[in-house]
Amino acid sequence: MSDSAADKGAGDGTRAVRAGLPEPVKYDPTLPGPVFAAHFHLPGEATGPYKYGRDENPTWTHLERAIGELEAPGRDDVETLVFASGMAAISSVLFSQLRAGDAVVLPDDGYQVLPLVREQLEAYGIEVRTAPTGGDAQLDLLDGAKLLWIETPSNPGLDVCDVRRLAEAAHARGALVAVDNTLASPLGQRPLELGADFAVASGTKQLTGHGDVLLGYVAGTDATAMAAVRRWRKVVGAIPGPMEAWLAHRSVATLQLRVDRQNATALILAQALRERTDVTGLRYPGLPDDPSYKIASQQMRRYGCVVSFTLPTRTRAERFLDALRLVDDATSFGGVRSTAERRGRWGGDAVPEGFVRLSVGAEDPEDLVADVLRALDESAR
């Protein structure tokens, strides 16, 4: 990436389309194709960047540079590592930094796999403390902790906490801070600028945005801590395939276009849902009357593509989902095609039976809103 495009002052669109590209070489492609290699020519001493396919790959390198430029533009002290999935990235931080006898603070309203993670951590002799995301409730559990794990906005409830405040308090007590940035994306929030040691995310979601790639990443500023994360990736082998890494990098070029369209439509949809008497518990951090709006507007640059709300019963929610024509009934979020699901079908989330998580895609706003409102009307009959 050229110095002018890499500059912290460059626009998000400019940065996204240029991020991680190698210096131009005559007749070479702008974005080199995926490198499929289990090993590399390595005569003599084992020096150089690429030795074995589990350790490094040129396609990963381009993508890692791109993500680093989005998470922390203009900084040279940030290292980024890509993984086979978001959970691989999450696990790499937790299990590389924690040992038996350590304590970790997790959100109790975060991603639904975290309870399974808790079981594994406790099986290894690690103390797990939990508190809700909202109200910065994790502050009360920091004494003696080794790591604070923040998820903001939380998934699926969309609560937001003050990352700066929590990071300062954790660091004062000697704890590292990791922020799950999946729902916000690097264009919505930059945890490292807010004081976090790690920005972690599932690239499966809005970063890649097409629902066809499983990917995760960790970006961090502490060289020692990141060396442990890298070692964990090597030991566990939780590496992405080169094709997935290349597809992800290709998709990053349209990130700003997708994010801006999805965020704008999400706000329009949330405003329309606010007028419905059959919709309760509506949450979107970009609504001025949302409980998270004040903090979100201080630390987020965009509010995300996910809207959540509750319908009166499980049956009503299921009828609503069946009636949708432009919204697929599917899990995950952040894709160009809108999706929604009754989140309670999975278990593990403390949500009402009629709770719906809706991820806004890139459809025309008027078409999407009309479809959602029509489905609400039909499901009420």
Side-chain angles (χ1 to χ4, degrees):
M1 188 175 182
S2 67
D3 290 340
S4 59
D7 185 85
K8 189 174 182 179
D12 287 337
T14 301
R15 186 174 295 109
V17 300
R18 306 292 304 176
L21 297 181
E23 291 297 321
V25 176
K26 191 173 183 178
Y27 306 126
D28 278 1
T30 305
L31 176 61
V35 175
F36 298 98
H39 58 264
F40 303 85
H41 287 297
L42 195 65
E45 294 297 321
T47 59
Y50 305 110
K51 308 176 187 69
Y52 185 65
R54 191 182 66 251
D55 299 329
E56 292 289 354
N57 178 288
T59 311
W60 304 351
T61 300
H62 295 313
L63 176 60
E64 289 169 345
R65 288 173 181 167
I67 294 172
E69 289 166 10
L70 296 174
E71 283 283 359
R75 292 182 61 169
D76 297 326
D77 61 337
V78 173
E79 181 180 3
T80 304
L81 298 170
V82 290
F83 291 82
S85 68
M87 279 309 304
I90 290 170
S91 299
S92 75
V93 174
L94 291 170
F95 292 105
S96 70
Q97 305 303 313
L98 298 169
R99 301 287 184 273
D102 289 340
V104 59
V105 179
L106 302 179
D108 64 11
D109 54 350
Y111 182 46
Q112 68 160 170
V113 181
L114 287 182
L116 297 178
V117 173
R118 175 177 187 162
E119 291 180 10
Q120 194 61 57
L121 289 167
E122 290 177 336
Y124 289 158
I126 297 164
E127 178 189 354
V128 179
R129 309 167 185 172
T130 63
T133 299
D136 299 342
Q138 291 172 297
L139 276 175
D140 296 333
L141 304 178
L142 292 176
D143 285 347
K146 176 73 177 296
L147 176 68
L148 167 64
W149 188 274
I150 297 170
E151 185 178 305
T152 182
S154 61
N155 173 28
L158 302 183
D159 272 323
V160 171
C161 60
D162 188 333
V163 176
R164 287 189 184 89
R165 182 186 183 202
L166 285 163
E168 289 175 0
H171 289 155
R173 292 165 173 80
L176 293 168
V177 178
V179 175
D180 186 329
N181 204 33
T182 302
L183 206 145
S185 90
L187 297 194
Q189 183 172 260
R190 293 175 182 155
L192 301 179
E193 291 185 359
L194 298 172
D197 301 290
F198 304 99
V200 187
S202 169
T204 308
K205 311 299 193 296
Q206 197 166 31
L207 185 82
T208 56
H210 291 77
D212 55 7
V213 173
L214 285 173
L215 191 87
Y217 69 84
V218 179
T221 57
D222 186 302
T224 301
M226 287 302 295
V229 173
R230 179 183 288 275
R231 183 176 183 275
W232 179 265
R233 183 179 71 172
K234 176 183 176 73
V235 170
V236 176
I239 58 173
M243 190 65 189
E244 285 78 5
W246 182 85
L247 285 169
H249 198 170
R250 178 213 59 178
S251 299
V252 164
T254 62
L255 180 61
Q256 182 262 335
L257 299 172
R258 292 184 281 107
V259 164
D260 281 353
R261 175 61 170 261
Q262 291 169 273
N263 279 233
T265 304
L267 179 58
I268 293 169
L269 177 62
Q271 290 167 336
L273 290 171
R274 189 168 51 182
E275 304 304 316
R276 300 283 306 203
T277 58
D278 51 352
V279 169
T280 60
L282 175 66
R283 296 299 304 271
Y284 182 67
L287 285 173
D289 58 351
D290 187 273
S292 293
Y293 179 76
K294 181 178 179 181
I295 296 299
S297 59
Q298 292 171 1
Q299 66 188 22
M300 297 183 72
R301 300 162 60 239
R302 295 171 176 85
Y303 297 107
C305 64
V306 176
V307 178
S308 67
F309 56 93
T310 300
L311 294 176
T313 65
R314 169 178 176 168
T315 301
R316 173 70 190 285
E318 290 173 344
R319 287 203 306 265
F320 164 69
L321 294 169
D322 287 342
L324 291 165
R325 296 171 185 164
L326 296 180
V327 183
D328 296 330
D329 190 341
T331 194
S332 198
F333 56 84
V336 292
R337 288 171 289 278
S338 293
T339 59
E341 68 174 336
R342 191 184 67 81
R343 193 63 185 162
R345 66 181 176 176
W346 299 104
D349 289 319
V351 295
E353 285 292 308
F355 179 94
V356 174
R357 185 185 71 184
L358 195 153
S359 173
V360 173
E363 298 88 358
D364 288 312
E366 57 272 22
D367 294 337
L368 182 62
V369 171
D371 186 50
V372 170
L373 297 182
R374 177 197 52 75
L376 284 170
D377 290 338
E378 288 187 10
S379 63
R381 295 170 188 162

